[in-house]
Amino acid sequence: MILTPFEWTIAKRYMMPGRGETFIALVAGISLAAVMLGVAALIIVMSVMNGFRAELFDKIVGLNGHAIVQAYGGRIDNWEEVLQEVRETPGVVSASPLIEAPTFLTFNGRSAGVQVRGNTQQDIAELAPNVLIGNLSRITPESGRVAIGVRLAENLGARVGDVITIFNVQGRPTPFGTVPRQVGYEVAAIFEVGVFDYDEAFVIMPIKDAQTLMLTGDTIGMIEVTTTDPDKVGEILAPVKASLEGQAQVSDWKTINASLFEALAVERVAMFVVLSIIVLVAVFNILSSLIMLVRAKTRDIAILRTMGATRRSLMKIFVTTGFVVGALGTVAGIALGFTFLFFRQSIVQGIQFVTGIELWDPSIRFLSELPSRTDPWEVLTISVLALVLSFLATLYPALKAASTDPVQVLRYE
């Protein structure tokens, strides 16, 4: 829709109402602000939801791989053969033996339920970017050293160099009954994965030390698998699942965390629908402001018609007047949304400081910080949605303006 110089001049005049039209200008300003806030809210919420899913996926998959091969009964005896078979499966990037068992530990009179995790040296070394204090290179087989999560360290009051005692409740049978096995380990490193449950419960040690602690001999509990495409992990590992049927089960990240990611997907759709209503309400403001503008400019419209202005020209003038409000609100909303996302953590901390209320509790939100990941296609979709709704809102007032009968308006002038 290309405007002639005449049409653009009239449209600009109507975008800036003159004396006595303050109320119309106020409604138009409110409309612009409402579109801005609606677009910004959609961009912020969708980016945070995307970031939440992406961060959870990265951290959970980074620690657990894309899939887990776990034997029935919790022990894989011929694990070397199974491991070799998994590694030779097309689409598998890596596969590592793993031991994971729930137990508890004590330190200075404090105790906590923990998840002991026995990893290979390579897997332990990959945890290096998450280490806050200490050195993972000191954690070697039979060194008696472990790494613990930062939340667990805070709960126990443990620091690097302290010795914690880990129990295996199964223990060994004696004439006096089963005595729990307890082993002291030096804390060599404290890490933060960023997922609250992991940082609060995980104790990382070499796989050989975990075998000794849990009295499993030369067996492992599971095999951690990473594939080329996490979204096709089920298809990639289908041959392994068929081969190990009756011996072990293959659980991918979708199955293990199904309830969490499904809840996120449902909430994401629900939030988009609910927040889209804000944009719709803002568009109704544009509609009402244009209707008032048309009523206020009825005499002007009649004069323009007598001077030769066509109905098409009047349609274009009023559509442009309303659409520009929606377009400016959309651009301002995008800018506001990105600004909020850039300073999101500072804003959350500021609100917490002012209100005294903890808005982001890691024990509830899983992650340590408010995440964000903006999808350009989603931003484009939100922008197009706002612009299309703004355009549709201008059609009725523009049609009313174009259908004005100059004879009826000016007959008594």
Side-chain angles (χ1 to χ4, degrees), residues 83 95 103 154 208 215 247 292 358:
L83 181 63
T103 183
E154 291 173 356
K208 186 173 182 179
L215 302 174
Q247 304 176 48
M292 286 190 292
E358 188 172 11

Side-chain angles (χ1 to χ4, degrees), residues 24 65 73 263 306 308 339 370:
I24 297 175
T306 59
T339 301
L370 180 66

Side-chain angles (χ1 to χ4, degrees), residues 19-41:
R19 185 179 302 175
E21 299 170 350
T22 307
F23 185 71
I24 297 175
L26 176 62
V27 174
I30 292 173
S31 304
L32 190 151
V35 173
M36 176 185 71
L37 293 175
V39 170

Side-chain angles (χ1 to χ4, degrees), residues 176-356:
F176 304 99
T178 301
V179 177
R181 179 176 175 78
Q182 52 182 340
V183 182
Y185 294 94
E186 179 188 342
V187 177
I190 296 175
F191 62 86
E192 183 177 21
V193 176
V195 179
F196 184 86
D197 289 351
Y198 293 167
D199 293 335
E200 187 185 39
F202 270 50
V203 176
I204 308 295
M205 63 176 63
I207 193 168
K208 186 173 182 179
D209 290 4
Q211 289 174 333
T212 302
L213 173 66
M214 306 311 297
L215 302 174
T216 59
D218 188 26
T219 64
I220 63 171
M222 57 190 73
I223 296 173
E224 177 185 279
V225 184
T226 304
T227 61
T228 53
D229 187 349
D231 291 322
K232 297 181 179 179
V233 62
E235 301 173 21
I236 293 172
L237 294 180
V240 175
K241 188 173 183 178
S243 174
L244 298 178
E245 188 173 0
Q247 304 176 48
Q249 62 178 0
V250 179
S251 304
D252 58 36
W253 65 271
K254 298 178 183 178
T255 305
I256 298 171
N257 305 285
S259 58
L260 177 60
F261 284 102
E262 285 176 7
L264 284 175
V266 171
E267 187 176 355
R268 184 169 173 272
V269 173
M271 293 300 291
F272 183 85
V273 172
V274 170
L275 291 174
S276 295
I277 296 174
I278 298 178
V279 179
L280 188 60
V281 171
V283 164
F284 279 120
N285 285 335
I286 295 176
L287 175 64
S288 61
S289 66
L290 267 184
I291 289 174
M292 286 190 292
L293 181 63
V294 170
R295 288 181 64 86
K297 299 295 183 181
T298 302
R299 185 171 178 273
D300 292 7
I301 294 169
I303 293 173
L304 289 172
R305 290 283 286 120
T306 59
M307 294 174 64
T310 63
R311 295 179 184 274
R312 180 181 178 83
S313 292
L314 290 172
M315 278 280 296
K316 291 162 67 176
I317 288 170
F318 283 96
V319 166
T320 301
T321 302
F323 184 76
V324 166
V325 173
L328 290 176
T330 301
V331 173
I334 294 172
L336 178 62
F338 280 107
T339 301
F340 184 95
L341 291 172
F342 185 80
F343 295 104
R344 64 187 183 280
Q345 202 59 38
S346 299
I347 293 172
V348 170
Q349 291 171 357
I351 295 174
Q352 290 180 161
F353 177 77
V354 172
T355 61

Side-chain angles (χ1 to χ4, degrees), residues 130-187:
N130 302 104
V131 172
L132 301 179
I133 307 171
N135 190 348
L136 290 176
S137 62
R138 299 180 63 220
I139 303 176
T140 56
E142 300 182 344
S143 65
R145 299 188 181 96
V146 298
I148 64 175
V150 62
R151 306 292 177 188
L152 178 59
E154 291 173 356
N155 293 339
L156 296 173
R159 296 174 294 180
V160 171
D162 289 338
V163 177
I164 59 176
T165 302
I166 302 180
F167 290 79
N168 177 4
V169 293
Q170 294 180 349
R172 292 183 181 275
T174 70
F176 304 99
T178 301
V179 177
R181 179 176 175 78
Q182 52 182 340
V183 182
Y185 294 94
E186 179 188 342
V187 177

